[in-house]
Amino acid sequence: MKNILITGGAGYKGVLLADELLRLGHKVTILDNFMYGYDSILHLIQNPNLSIKKVDIRNLKEDDVSGFGIIYHLAGISGMPACANNPHSAESINVESVRLLVSLMSADQLLINASTTSMYGFSNTICHEESIIEPVSIYGKTKLVSENIVQSRANSISLRFATVFGISPKMRHDLMVNDFAYKAIVDRSLILFAGDTKRTFIHINDAIRAYIFAMDNSDVMKGGIYNVGSNDMNLSKKEIASSIAKYAKFELIESTLPDYDKRNFEISFNKINKIGFTTKYTLDDGILDLIKVYSYYIQYIPYKII
Ligand SMILES: NC(=O)c1ccc[n+]([C@@H]2O[C@H](COP(=O)([O-])OP(=O)(O)OC[C@H]3O[C@@H](n4cnc5c(N)ncnc54)[C@H](O)[C@@H]3O)[C@@H](O)[C@H]2O)c1
């Protein structure tokens, strides 16, 4: 049994990671400021191996991090729009708090960091871990700086995740596949800007498998940075929309206006594949789950008439 801390453990990925680590018999502490509420973790409360710390990572103290063999760092302002709307929080939470976290950790504690392929920004070649990176968003920039801070210590692993899709007790409707599925089902129309631009995607179950894989293979992986996803899931926005269209009837409008989001890249996942990690879940697996949920769920957005 390992003693594990998850910062951001009440979030979209964090709560499923906590769930899986508890299922595997580990002792888990969720540290979160619960800015999105408490509901996502209520189903875990009865597990005696779960502890909870309501802490803002900007105010971390040594006590909050000591005693844990492994720290998964997921807390942050996650995603391009959230960071663009809160640039100061993005800087203080995504960068300065990571500096603080690293300064409080001892050398024997393993740090597994939630990094992102979003930092690859705009590229005409297939990106790999050693590619020169020029992020095009505040999100990508802050995550790159924080990754450098994390990797300045030897006992760290950074996982650069593809954009995640699928269902979690703490939903994120803003992620591209989730957002497109929502618009297809609820709005019955989807406007595509820059439909040929490409990004890379991963099912949430595979993202959780990758976190566990990093813990189990830390001897090989520590000191390293790994893209996490699948070479088969470098997909354009049009391809995502077509996959949803196999299961749902909606109007697809292809706009000739440019997208505010300039990200466009293809990624190689060969490095993590070579040490034995491959994804198991398909885009269609995620889309079918999303359609199930969005067939009955409508977000409450004030002033939006539906
Ligand atoms: N979801 C993706 O597609 C994706 C892809 C690549 C990387 N990531 C990274 O994975 C991590 C988790 O992403 P997610 O999708 O679960 O996001 P999320 O927003 O659902 O979860 C983030 C969690 O961090 C917590 N948090 C935010 N600020 C905090 C603070 N100051 N103190 C304490 N807790 C705080 C939030 O309450 C939330 O529970 C993030 O670091 C994100 O950058 C996500």
Side-chain angles (χ1 to χ4, degrees), residues 217-236:
N217 294 277
S218 60
D219 284 352
V220 181
M221 293 176 76
K222 66 186 167 193
I225 295 171
Y226 294 83
N227 293 332
V228 181
S230 154
N231 291 338
D232 301 337
M233 264 200 247
N234 283 300
L235 298 170
S236 69

Side-chain angles (χ1 to χ4, degrees), residues 11-13 32 56-57 74 78 115 139 143 164 170 172:
Y12 175 66
K13 279 193 290 167
D32 207 293
D56 190 303
I57 50 162
L74 279 70
S78 185
S115 191
Y139 178 54
K143 293 298 280 187
V164 183
K170 188 272 176 181
R172 281 193 57 191

Side-chain angles (χ1 to χ4, degrees), residues 5 7 65 68-73 101 105 109-112:
L5 177 74
T7 75
V65 299
F68 298 100
I70 301 173
I71 298 181
Y72 282 99
H73 176 60
L101 170 66
M105 287 180 68
Q109 291 179 295
L110 173 66
L111 176 57
I112 301 178

Side-chain angles (χ1 to χ4, degrees), residues 192-212:
L192 276 190
F193 298 94
D196 291 319
T197 55
K198 283 194 167 183
R199 298 251 301 275
T200 181
F201 303 91
I202 184 169
H203 191 289
I204 191 154
N205 292 357
D206 281 321
I208 304 309
R209 288 179 56 245
Y211 280 122
I212 304 297

